[in-house]
């Protein structure tokens, strides 16, 4: 290690403690590899224990002319919070915020202030006594995703009324065009003047109700519940590059260092779950259009699963489902971290995939975990919709579905009991990781996964994808699932050995462009997708020296974006 980088590591150890600066390949493995995509080398991983430590780490790393990659839970699917490749023009330091897990409830639970490492699961538990919920309730929360990660990556969530995670109230640091590190307090909370004072007072919650300002910006998306109902609009309801939802921390994708966000919470409502199956995709189109425009209140959630995804999820997402059932969502990140450490050791002995094979063998021996009525619908129907409805609309929806299927015998429905409804949604979200497990247990057959995250136009009735024969021939399995009322779909293709996944993905993009779809819809560009012009300009505006999360969206990896110092 060169002298200058050795000095930096020593300086970082003085700031956070030696045990919180990781440099060995084995130590840094779980931080520098994406959950599904992306991997690269780092000079080190630093894990600050306070906001002030995070500020001082940031100063030290930038003073040493290194690149900063901010990482919270590392649950993303496009490699957006990990290094990618080895063609950076400066050393890379990854700053992990997992130790900074503070959540501060304000305004009697109607809002919260979340620090960088706060998780959706912890926030959900914190809000329970207030009978309120965070922006996202299940989905990413079941794999330990962070609140700030959702905001910074435009994460959409499964809840129809709430749209992308969004706020205009944040405390963040950025490097200006002159190379100066600035702390920007747009939280709407008076905390002092200097970075030391602001960060210390915030972390220790040394502020009063009178220090909190209202009417200084939105703490959630104020327009989405209207936008999603415009079923004849010739554009998607939400997608990452939508300029109307890019604001400072929101959509920043690590191009600034966020210390805290202020967010709205939402009142819990009584609800029930309908399970719908059909062999005619037009049935679901009709239901979506009707339920978005005729009910007194919008559906809470509407999750789509194709039968093939149902099957892969039932077999290869079973251990995730059962683990959450037994141990809860809070313990999932610990299980992933333990598995990652074991995998790292085994791969050194050329035993890649061994833990997945073992887990799969164990779960194969366990009894069926899905409700009988769901499995019966799987036998009868290709298309499944899980629909959560507010109590006041249950009667109207039940009548509508009864009348609809009375004249459309291609489908049917049932009203779930509490256990069935919970398991239906948990199964839907276990599917998201099932393709990875399939890949890792079929390494001799599978080249990789092509994972697309797309937003269709709100008026698009032809939402079932029809692939050309030459692409179908390259695919072992297709998993279609998604947030149906938002017209956001996740499309995972498990491709055959010998197929070039990147070339295939680019061909898929051409097909999506022809359908006038937007992509990505909610997982951000990472190092997988190309940032469209509005998004790339937003990144450059936030980070004019190109010091943070360099290369995201296939943008330049060079300092000052490869231009002269004068921006």
């Amino acid at each position: 290690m060169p002298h200058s980088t050795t000095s930096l590591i020593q300086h970082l150890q003085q700031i956070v403690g030696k045990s919180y600066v990781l440099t060995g390949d084995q130590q840094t493995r779980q931080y520098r590899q994406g959950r599904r995509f992306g991997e690269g080398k780092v000079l080190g991983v630093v894990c600050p224990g306070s906001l002030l430590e995070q500020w001082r780490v940031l100063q030290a790393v930038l003073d040493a002319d290194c690149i900063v990659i901010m990482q919270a839970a590392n649950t993303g699917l496009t490699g957006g919070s990990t290094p990618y490749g080895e063609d950076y023009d400066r050393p890379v330091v990854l700053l992990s915020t997992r130790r900074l897990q503070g959540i501060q409830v304000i305004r009697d639970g109607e809002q919260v202030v979340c620090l960088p490492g706060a998780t959706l699961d912890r926030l959900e538990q914190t809000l329970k006594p207030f009978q309120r919920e965070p922006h996202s309730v299940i989905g990413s929360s079941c794999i330990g995703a962070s609140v700030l990660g959702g905001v910074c990556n435009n994460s959409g969530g499964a809840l129809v009324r709430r749209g992308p995670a969004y706020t205009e109230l944040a405390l963040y640091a950025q490097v200006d065009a002159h190379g100066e590190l600035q702390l920007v307090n747009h939280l709407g909370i008076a905390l002092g003047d200097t970075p030391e004072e602001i960060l210390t007072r915030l972390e220790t919650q040394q502020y009063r109700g009178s220090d909190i300002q209202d009417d200084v910006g939105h703490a959630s998306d104020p327009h989405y519940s209207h936008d999603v109902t415009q079923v004849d609009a010739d554009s998607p309801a939400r997608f990452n590059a939508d300029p109307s939802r890019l604001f400072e921390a929101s959509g920043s994708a690590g191009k600034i260092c966020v210390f805290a966000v202020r967010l709205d919470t939402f009142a819990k409502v009584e609800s029930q779950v309908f399970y719908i199956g059909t062999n005619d995709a037009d049935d679901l189109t009709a239901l979506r259009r009707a339920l978005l425009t005729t009910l007194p209140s919008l559906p809470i959630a509407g999750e789509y699963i194709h039968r093939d995804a149902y099957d892969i999820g039932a077999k290869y997402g079973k251990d995730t489902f059962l683990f959450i059932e037994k141990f809860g969502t809070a313990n999932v990140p610990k299980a992933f971290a333990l598995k990652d450490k074991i995998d790292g050791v085994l791969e050194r002995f050329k035993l890649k995939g061994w833990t997945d094979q073992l887990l799969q063998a164990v779960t194969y021996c366990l009894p069926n975990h899905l409700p009988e009525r769901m499995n019966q619908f799987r036998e009868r129907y290709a298309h499944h919709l899980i629909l959560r409805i507010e109590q006041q609309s249950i009667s109207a929806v039940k009548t509508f579905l009864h009348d609809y299927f009375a004249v459309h015998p291609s489908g049917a429905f049932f009203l779930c009991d509490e256990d069935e409804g919970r398991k239906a949604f948990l199964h839907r979200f276990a599917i998201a990781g099932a393709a990875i497990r399939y890949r890792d247990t079929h390494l001799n057959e599978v080249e990789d996964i092509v994972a697309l995250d797309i937003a269709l136009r709100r008026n698009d009735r032809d939402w079932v994808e029809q692939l050309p024969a030459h692409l179908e021939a390259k695919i072992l399995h297709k998993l279609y699932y998604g947030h149906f009322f938002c017209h956001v779909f996740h499309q995972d293709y498990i491709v055959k050995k010998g197929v070039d996944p990147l070339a295939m993905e680019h061909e898929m993009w051409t097909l999506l462009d022809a359908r006038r779809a937007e992509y990505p819809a909610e997982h951000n560009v990472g190092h997988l997708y190309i940032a469209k012009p509005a998004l790339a300009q937003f990144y450059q505006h936030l980070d004019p020296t190109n010091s943070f999360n360099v290369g995201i969206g296939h943008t330049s990896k060079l300092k000052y974006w490869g231009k002269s110092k004068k921006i």
Side-chain angles (χ1 to χ4, degrees):
M1 189 181 296
H3 176 72
S4 58
T5 53
T6 301
S7 298
L8 173 61
I9 293 298
Q10 292 173 345
H11 188 189
L12 295 174
Q13 290 172 342
Q14 291 170 358
I15 295 171
V16 302
K18 191 172 184 178
S19 59
Y20 295 111
V21 179
L22 314 176
T23 55
D25 283 351
Q26 195 63 30
Q27 285 182 308
T28 61
R29 183 180 186 275
Q30 71 179 88
Y31 299 92
R32 55 184 174 79
Q33 290 187 343
R35 179 64 53 86
R36 180 185 283 172
F37 177 84
E39 179 181 1
K41 293 184 177 180
V42 295
L43 176 64
V45 175
V46 189
C47 309
S50 70
L51 296 183
L52 192 53
E53 283 186 4
Q54 179 168 300
W55 171 256
R56 289 171 176 163
V57 166
L58 203 57
Q59 287 178 311
V61 172
L62 292 169
D63 285 346
D65 198 25
C66 292
I67 291 166
V68 176
I69 294 180
M70 301 299 304
Q71 185 185 97
N74 194 20
T75 59
L77 302 180
T78 61
S81 59
T82 58
Y84 183 70
E86 299 181 14
D87 55 342
Y88 294 96
D89 64 345
R90 290 152 286 167
V92 175
V93 175
L94 194 151
L95 204 162
S96 171
T97 64
R98 293 185 186 186
R99 296 174 66 203
L100 306 174
Q101 297 187 2
I103 296 172
Q104 300 170 8
V105 178
I106 61 175
R107 295 291 191 247
D108 298 319
E110 292 187 2
Q111 288 189 331
V112 290
V113 174
C114 293
L115 302 191
T119 64
L120 285 167
D121 178 76
R122 179 71 64 85
L123 179 55
E124 187 178 345
Q125 301 307 315
T126 300
L127 289 173
K128 273 187 177 180
F130 298 90
Q131 292 299 302
R132 298 189 72 82
E133 296 175 335
H135 167 268
S136 297
V137 174
I138 191 169
S140 295
S141 57
C142 74
I143 54 173
S146 71
V147 177
L148 265 69
V151 172
C152 295
N153 291 308
N154 291 117
S155 296
L159 301 178
V160 177
R161 306 173 183 183
R162 301 178 192 174
Y166 179 83
T167 186
E168 296 166 1
L169 307 176
L171 173 66
Y172 61 92
Q174 67 180 151
V175 178
D176 64 22
H178 303 290
E180 298 295 327
L181 183 64
Q182 308 287 346
L183 185 66
V184 181
N185 181 10
H186 287 169
L187 273 178
I189 303 175
L191 295 166
D193 300 314
T194 67
E196 290 75 15
E197 185 180 12
I198 291 169
L199 296 172
T200 301
R201 286 187 60 191
L202 174 64
E203 187 161 19
T204 55
Q205 207 168 349
Q206 293 180 29
Y207 56 88
R208 298 166 296 182
S210 58
D211 294 322
I212 304 172
Q213 300 170 281
D214 294 319
D215 301 322
V216 290
H218 296 290
S220 60
D221 189 328
H223 305 297
Y224 189 74
S225 61
H226 167 268
D227 294 348
V228 75
T229 64
Q230 306 307 296
V231 294
D232 291 314
D234 196 33
S235 61
R238 58 179 169 92
F239 59 98
N240 280 111
D242 183 352
S244 70
R245 295 187 172 101
L246 300 175
F247 188 90
E248 296 182 352
S250 296
S252 59
K255 296 303 290 182
I256 54 177
C257 173
V258 184
F259 287 84
V261 294
R262 178 175 160 190
L263 297 166
D264 289 331
T265 67
F266 303 86
K268 280 188 175 182
V269 294
E270 294 294 320
S271 65
Q272 284 187 270
V273 174
F274 290 87
Y275 199 94
I276 301 164
T278 182
N279 288 315
D280 187 346
D282 289 343
D283 288 341
L284 297 190
T285 298
L287 298 184
R288 171 181 168 269
R289 292 175 65 86
L291 296 180
L292 283 176
T293 56
T294 62
L295 293 180
S297 60
L298 284 174
I300 295 171
E303 292 297 301
Y304 170 75
I305 308 173
H306 187 272
R307 177 191 278 153
D308 294 343
Y310 186 106
D311 291 346
I312 295 290
K315 185 173 181 179
Y316 295 94
K318 187 175 181 179
D319 61 324
T320 298
F321 183 106
L322 294 174
F323 185 92
I324 294 170
E325 280 270 283
K326 180 71 174 177
F327 301 106
T329 61
N331 290 301
V332 173
K334 299 174 186 175
F336 273 117
L338 176 60
K339 179 180 178 298
D340 185 82
K341 288 180 180 179
I342 296 171
D343 285 342
V345 173
L346 292 175
E347 285 179 18
R348 291 161 62 186
F349 297 96
K350 301 188 184 303
L351 295 172
K352 185 176 182 179
W354 185 86
T355 55
D356 294 282
Q357 296 283 0
L358 177 61
L359 289 169
Q360 203 55 39
V362 170
T363 55
Y364 179 79
C365 299
L366 298 175
N368 194 305
H369 59 296
L370 297 177
E372 181 59 29
R373 288 201 288 180
M374 283 175 55
N375 287 329
Q376 290 173 356
F377 265 46
R378 180 263 165 227
E379 295 297 325
R380 294 167 58 187
Y381 302 114
H383 304 286
H384 298 232
L385 181 66
I386 312 165
L387 182 62
R388 184 175 293 280
I389 295 293
E390 190 171 349
Q391 199 67 42
Q392 64 175 344
S393 297
I394 293 294
S395 178
V397 172
K398 191 173 183 180
T399 299
F400 173 83
L401 293 175
H402 181 273
D403 293 346
Y404 182 87
F405 287 117
V407 295
H408 297 84
S410 49
F413 77 97
F414 64 86
L415 186 60
C416 297
D417 61 32
E418 185 176 350
D419 188 61
E420 287 173 324
R422 179 178 54 79
K423 288 184 175 181
F425 274 97
L426 184 50
H427 177 51
R428 153 62 185 92
F429 292 109
I431 289 170
I436 301 173
R437 169 59 56 77
Y438 186 98
R439 178 195 65 190
D440 292 343
T441 54
H442 295 78
L443 294 174
N444 293 329
E445 305 167 32
V446 177
E447 185 67 34
D448 209 339
I449 301 163
V450 172
L452 297 177
D453 165 29
I454 72 168
L456 298 181
R457 292 167 294 144
R458 285 165 282 183
N459 65 352
D460 195 342
R461 295 172 183 265
D462 298 323
W463 54 273
V464 178
E465 182 175 65
Q466 302 294 329
L467 290 176
H470 75 279
L471 283 179
E472 287 279 8
K474 299 177 180 180
I475 299 170
L476 288 169
H477 298 285
K478 297 178 294 186
L479 280 68
Y480 294 123
Y481 54 99
H483 314 308
F484 189 68
F485 284 85
C486 303
H487 250 199
V488 167
F489 292 88
H490 302 293
Q491 301 180 174
D492 295 345
Y493 309 92
I494 302 174
V495 300
K496 296 177 181 178
K497 201 73 174 177
V499 173
D500 182 347
L502 193 57
M504 182 174 173
E505 179 161 355
H506 289 172
E507 194 168 355
M508 294 283 194
W509 291 353
T510 301
L511 298 177
L512 291 175
D513 290 340
R515 297 174 69 189
R516 294 168 56 204
E518 291 283 354
Y519 53 91
E522 62 179 7
H523 286 156
N524 218 303
V525 290
H527 290 283
L528 192 59
Y529 298 96
I530 297 172
K532 293 186 176 178
L535 190 59
Q537 290 169 14
F538 178 63
Y539 292 159
Q540 188 166 350
H541 171 74
L542 291 178
D543 183 19
T545 66
N546 206 17
S547 297
F548 291 93
N549 210 1
V550 170
I552 190 171
H554 293 256
T555 57
S556 171
K557 285 188 173 181
L558 303 177
K559 193 170 184 179
Y560 290 101
W561 303 87
K563 303 176 182 179
S564 64
K565 188 172 181 179
K566 293 182 179 179
I567 299 297

